[in-house]
Amino acid sequence: MKSFLGTSFFIGSNGFALTASHVIKDAQEPIAALHVNPTNNEWHGFLVESVEHHPTEDVALLKIEKISPEPLFKFDTSLIHAGLDYFSFGY
């Protein structure tokens, strides 16, 4: 099983996301992804239903299933304060 990591962003409200085609060109089915809700720090999982690659540009359109109603996990920001050491990942 080959794993990969990349970023995408939602476009509209009909379950589509946009990413770079090279990020998922060699991905094997099923493709799972995470959505982070920045307003409440909840992480939700979903599966990608289909992928459409642009023929000449490095762009891919993802059609996703409905995001899981229950979060996989949630960060507790009440413990964060000035001067605290922390680690960040992603963009």
Side-chain angles (χ1 to χ4, degrees):
M1 183 170 150
K2 185 175 183 176
S3 63
F4 64 98
L5 180 64
T7 59
S8 67
F9 57 92
F10 287 103
I11 53 174
S13 59
N14 293 322
F16 289 97
L18 202 60
T19 190
S21 191
H22 73 268
V23 169
I24 58 170
K25 73 175 181 169
D26 295 326
Q28 298 173 346
E29 300 285 332
I31 301 171
L34 291 173
H35 168 256
V36 181
N37 185 333
T39 59
N40 60 14
N41 297 316
E42 291 181 348
W43 290 53
H44 294 265
F46 59 89
L47 293 175
V48 176
E49 291 179 7
S50 64
V51 178
E52 295 289 332
H53 296 271
H54 191 278
T56 60
E57 302 299 324
D58 188 24
V59 176
L61 182 66
L62 311 175
K63 174 64 176 152
I64 62 166
E65 288 184 355
K66 184 177 176 184
I67 295 175
S68 62
E70 295 298 319
L72 299 172
F73 57 89
K74 181 177 180 175
F75 286 114
D76 183 1
T77 57
S78 67
L79 302 175
I80 298 174
H81 56 83
L84 182 69
D85 289 337
Y86 69 94
F87 296 95
S88 177
F89 55 93
Y91 292 93

